[in-house]
């Protein structure tokens, strides 16, 4: 089959490397892909948000199957447009992608269907939000309604910071129109777990759990980033918690979306916090997480493309979805200075035979040069988490580019939890 993957980051590279193993896949195109992905797929210079460009390419090139990986094209209706042309897709339609595209939608959904999440209020007027914050408990969490490149969440430690946060979103529009409506919610505490799941709207099959490391610096200090590393499985996510999540969160969410006339098909990501009152939903994503995908897919033993086909056809219950009992660790190597200012254009050298997922690099005269903040993710799998972490850091030593920066403590929190 001729397959097209929309997107161009580490997540897409991990998806592409995995589906390349499938005997069902003959050709892979990446729109736009990147310099590293170019080793594994034909990269086509069409932006992931260019829905017309995507559909044109797909019909002109007789694409059989499309995987739409990032949030923006999903929210913009890429799947609706491609399916309109008769092309099978992995990914939700726009009316289901709204579960990530609007925080107000997802919070109201959870409230209506009794799915555990933080208490919240929605505001469309700045004055009302400021009035509410006068005696709201702090810390408090302020979220822009719409997509904001994963940056639309501000945790305000003090009342002053909370006022400042709503002003910046609603008045100064630091996240653009995303901030016209804000959600102000209760601050929850507890270990965070990411659970990606396959679903065709009837069956939901959770993948191996994982743990992201969002902060830029060791010890979870510094600014929030797109993710500096991941481990899987997440040791806090016990079998007991998994079955509680299935009963109280995963199935109810799938059923709620059906009841709303918005059946969800694709990868539904549950961002969970394990609070003293049980697991609660922090966020939903309508897609694979990044860099969670870089640890989850290397542990998948089944044919990923076969699962995609089953999801698209509504027969997920018949698919084989098997994960290894081992562990994985992904260390993200970034350009020093990320997520603020950083320099690019440095040559990357790396081994060819490793699970290295390229996110920010371009090809120039046959050389791979850095072109983004997060440059690549180095993943190793092993029977134990400790071995996987050790191996990932060994492989990191064999990758080099000027100005490389990475956290030295990916997996530490998870290992501490395992050791008790
Ligand atoms: P997001 O950008 O939606 O992934 O959120 C970023 C991070 O903010 C999450 O990973 C959590 O660590 C934190 N966060 C979001 N909502 C809450 C909440 N209600 N209580 C505490 N932390 C939160
Ligand atoms: N790693 C979090 C996300 O993909 O949104």
């Amino acid at each position: 089959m001729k397959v097209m993957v929309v997107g161009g980051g580490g997540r897409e590279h991990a998806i592409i490397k995995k589906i390349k193993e499938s005997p069902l896949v003959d050709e892979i195109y990446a729109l736009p892909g990147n310099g590293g992905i170019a080793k594994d797929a034909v990269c086509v210079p069409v932006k992931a948000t260019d829905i017309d460009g995507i559909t044109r390419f797909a019909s002109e090139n007789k694409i059989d199957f499309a995987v739409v990986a990032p949030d923006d094209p999903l929210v913009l209706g890429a799947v609706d447009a491609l399916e309109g042309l008769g092309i099978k897709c992995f990914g939700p339609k726009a009316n289901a992608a709204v579960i990530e595209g609007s925080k107000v939608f997802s919070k109201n959904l959870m409230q209506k269907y009794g799915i555990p999440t933080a208490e919240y209020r929605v505001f469309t007027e700045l004055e009302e939000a400021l009035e509410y914050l006068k005696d709201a408990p702090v810390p408090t969490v302020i979220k822009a309604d719409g997509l904001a490149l994963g940056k639309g969440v501000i945790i305000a430690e003090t009342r002053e910071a909370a006022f400042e946060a709503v002003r910046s979103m609603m008045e100064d529009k630091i996240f653009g129109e995303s901030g016209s409506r804000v959600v102000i919610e209760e601050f929850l505490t507890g270990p965070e777990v990411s659970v990606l799941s396959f679903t065709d709207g009837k069956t939901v099959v959770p993948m191996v759990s994982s743990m992201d490391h969002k902060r830029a610096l060791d010890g979870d200090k510094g600014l929030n980033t797109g993710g500096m590393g991941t481990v899987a499985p997440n040791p806090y996510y016990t079998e007991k918690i998994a079955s509680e999540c299935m009963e109280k969160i995963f199935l109810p969410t799938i059923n709620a979306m059906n009841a709303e006339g918005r059946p969800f098909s694709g990868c539904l990501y549950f961002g969970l916090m394990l609070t003293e009152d049980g697991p609660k939903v922090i966020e939903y994503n309508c897609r694979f997480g990044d860099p969670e995908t870089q640890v989850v897919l290397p542990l998948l033993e089944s044919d990923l493309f076969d699962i995609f086909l089953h999801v698209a056809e509504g027969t997920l219950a018949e698919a084989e979805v098997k994960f290894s009992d081992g562990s994985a660790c992904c260390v993200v190597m970034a350009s020093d200075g990320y997520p603020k200012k950083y320099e690019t254009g440095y040559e990357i050298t790396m081994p060819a035979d490793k699970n290295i997922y390229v996110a920010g690099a371009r090809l120039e005269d046959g050389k791979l040069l850095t072109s983004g903040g997060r440059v690549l993710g180095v993943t190793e799998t092993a029977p134990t988490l400790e071995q996987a972490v050790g191996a990932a850091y060994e492989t990191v030593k064999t990758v080099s580019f000027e100005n490389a920066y990475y956290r030295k403590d990916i997996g530490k929190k998870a290992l501490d939890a395992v050791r008790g």
Side-chain angles (χ1 to χ4, degrees), residues 71 100 103 147-153 214 224-226 283 287:
D71 47 2
E100 173 170 3
K103 295 223 164 25
L147 294 182
L149 297 169
K151 297 192 184 100
V153 176
K214 285 193 176 140
N224 251 324
T225 70
E283 63 163 347
R287 51 167 176 91

Side-chain angles (χ1 to χ4, degrees), residues 11 100 212 214 226-227 269 283 285 287-292:
R11 163 184 54 205
E100 173 170 3
D212 195 0
K214 285 193 176 140
Y269 168 125
E283 63 163 347
N285 291 330
R287 51 167 176 91
F288 282 97
D290 196 348
E292 284 89 341

